[in-house]
Amino acid sequence: MGLKTVEWIPASSKALIPGKLRMIEQTRLPQELQFLETDRLEVIWEAIHLLRVRGAPAIGVAAAMGVVAGIQQDDAETSAALVSAVNRTADYLATSRPTAVNLFWALDRMRRVASENQHLNVPALKERLAREATAIRDEDAAMCRAIGEHGVTLLKDGWTILTHCNAGGLATAEFGTALAPVYVAKERGMNIRVISDETRPLLQGSRLTAWELNQAGIDVTIICDNMAAKVMREGKVQAVLVGSDRIAANGDVCNKIGTYGVAILARAHHIPFYALAPSSTFDLSIPHGDDIPIEERHPDEVVMGFGRRTGPEGVRVYSPAFDVTPAEYVTAIVCEKGLVRPPYGPGLRAIMEKQAT
Ligand code: MRU
């Protein structure tokens, strides 16, 4: 897994500023591995909005770096003016997508660092913010690694896991969340196979998950979303591993549309269902999953997907990008600090207090 999904590229080795954001252009996959390099705030906003960079943790990293890109040329003469520019830039980036809490978490962290470091002069404060954004990236990579170490304890050699959407290296700084245990298992010589739901309408499961697993030499089989019940009934799946965009205080798990159905199927077939996410995905300010804002996407993604009309013009389309799996269907939640099992209310609060292991 050498993929650098999103990173900051400084112009010189002397300082982080000036620099550019470099990301894998995920809408081009699996046809070609192309990179988008930019220092333009509007281009970064659009990249998040159009899913050129996507997956909750990767969006958070891109947004933090987007703040740096947005303020690096700012002509603020005082640190207080620069803090205002940071807040304005963060407000703008916060409108790019509504559901993944990592976006808001990362932007809040950038706002806080700006406000707490107003004693620095303007160039030093800009450099400090760039350091924070790269730290968010590096910490995410480390968290994913730790999720993999904890998650692999749930797997047995020879198992096949089913996953939905892409919660792999492409969705994070590196390594992934739901796929992290699979990569760790491979490093340890275990044989884990993956069944990847195609994930309509944007096909993250077949375009991205299957691509990155294939690159890593992991056995992966693509199925259409409506085949999951059959493969489960055939005994082909021993565990379901998914990522998350936001986990509410009661353990309800918001993830890519279709995840809820997979969880119900897993329960019906007595298959454990695990959600894997860094603690930056936990939103304990939201008591219940029903309160999580769910993004609705453009109808064309459903009826004009990838440039081909598959539904009549003018027909109404409903396209929520995410759904919420009630906590009762979730066997365990895995984060960088360990495993949480029901009851999730006290479990999530306790693990948030705990140091990472
Ligand atoms: O719309 P996307 O592609 O950003 O949705 C991504 C997902 O739903 C992922 O499963 C989730 O962000 C977890 S990523 C580690």
Side-chain angles (χ1 to χ4, degrees):
M1 271 307 297
L3 290 177
K4 295 267 188 278
T5 305
V6 44
E7 49 180 347
W8 183 255
I9 310 288
S12 84
S13 56
K14 294 195 185 71
L16 291 170
I17 286 202
K20 282 187 175 178
L21 207 165
R22 182 175 205 249
M23 63 184 94
I24 296 179
E25 217 295 26
Q26 298 193 33
T27 64
R28 299 299 312 155
L29 287 170
Q31 291 94 330
E32 54 178 350
L33 179 58
Q34 205 185 75
F35 291 85
L36 171 65
E37 252 186 46
T38 185
D39 57 2
R40 287 185 46 216
L41 182 60
E42 294 73 21
V43 175
I44 296 165
W45 185 95
E46 190 205 55
I48 297 172
H49 186 67
L50 295 180
L51 277 57
R52 301 190 200 287
V53 57
R54 34 66 52 206
I59 293 173
V61 175
M65 292 180 177
V67 169
V68 181
I71 55 98
Q72 64 178 344
Q73 307 294 357
D74 195 278
D75 54 10
E77 285 176 3
T78 65
S79 298
L82 187 64
V83 173
S84 303
V86 166
N87 287 331
R88 271 196 313 277
T89 310
D91 288 347
Y92 171 62
L93 286 165
T95 61
S96 56
R97 290 192 78 187
T99 301
V101 74
N102 311 59
L103 174 76
F104 309 101
W105 172 88
L107 291 173
D108 285 349
R109 189 160 148 178
M110 297 300 284
R111 291 182 216 266
R112 199 170 54 247
V113 165
S115 129
E116 285 171 358
N117 287 281
Q118 291 192 52
H119 56 280
L120 299 174
N121 64 32
V122 169
L125 182 51
K126 287 182 177 177
E127 191 67 15
R128 175 70 189 81
L129 286 159
R131 252 197 359 258
E132 194 67 18
T134 54
I136 289 174
R137 196 219 82 91
D138 294 347
E139 286 168 26
D140 185 63
M143 286 196 282
C144 287
R145 177 84 219 178
I147 289 170
E149 305 276 346
H150 292 297
V152 77
T153 63
L154 300 166
L155 305 181
K156 290 204 175 75
D157 196 17
W159 273 15
T160 298
I161 67 111
L162 182 141
T163 192
H164 190 77
C165 193
N166 172 263
L170 288 168
T172 61
E174 263 179 84
F175 222 60
T177 57
L179 298 188
V182 177
Y183 291 124
V184 172
K186 179 161 170 77
E187 283 175 7
R188 295 187 183 174
M190 289 165 70
N191 179 26
I192 302 291
R193 295 193 177 89
V194 179
I195 293 179
S196 179
D197 277 352
E198 182 180 43
T199 318
R200 280 274 291 151
L202 294 180
L203 307 186
Q204 290 93 330
S206 61
R207 287 192 306 108
L208 308 177
T209 297
W211 180 82
E212 69 165 83
L213 290 172
N214 199 39
Q215 293 279 315
I218 290 168
D219 186 316
V220 57
T221 303
I222 298 168
I223 59 167
C224 299
D225 300 334
N226 50 6
M227 297 170 186
K230 180 160 170 61
V231 297
M232 288 186 189
R233 187 158 177 93
E234 289 171 346
K236 290 184 173 144
V237 178
Q238 282 69 53
V240 173
L241 271 57
V242 297
S244 176
D245 292 85
R246 204 185 286 227
I247 296 179
N250 69 345
D252 287 353
V253 171
C254 179
N255 192 46
K256 177 54 56 192
I257 190 73
T259 304
Y260 177 27
V262 173
I264 292 171
L265 292 175
R267 170 62 53 87
H269 294 88
H270 312 290
I271 296 167
F273 177 95
Y274 300 113
L276 301 94
S279 53
S280 53
T281 303
F282 298 173
D283 185 356
L284 302 194
S285 75
I286 292 218
H288 195 278
D290 288 347
D291 303 327
I292 295 172
I294 301 290
E295 175 180 18
E296 278 190 42
R297 301 284 305 176
H298 197 281
D300 281 356
E301 291 181 350
V302 175
V303 290
M304 267 302 272
F306 305 98
R308 173 147 190 239
R309 178 154 289 286
T310 54
E313 259 178 81
V315 167
R316 198 176 307 116
V317 172
Y318 174 49
S319 184
F322 300 95
D323 60 26
V324 173
T325 299
E328 63 188 279
Y329 292 100
V330 181
T331 312
I333 294 171
V334 184
C335 73
E336 75 279 8
K337 302 178 190 189
L339 264 63
V340 188
R341 293 194 185 267
Y344 290 116
L348 288 174
R349 280 198 302 278
I351 206 141
M352 286 298 263
E353 311 275 294
K354 197 179 149 192
Q355 294 296 316
T357 53

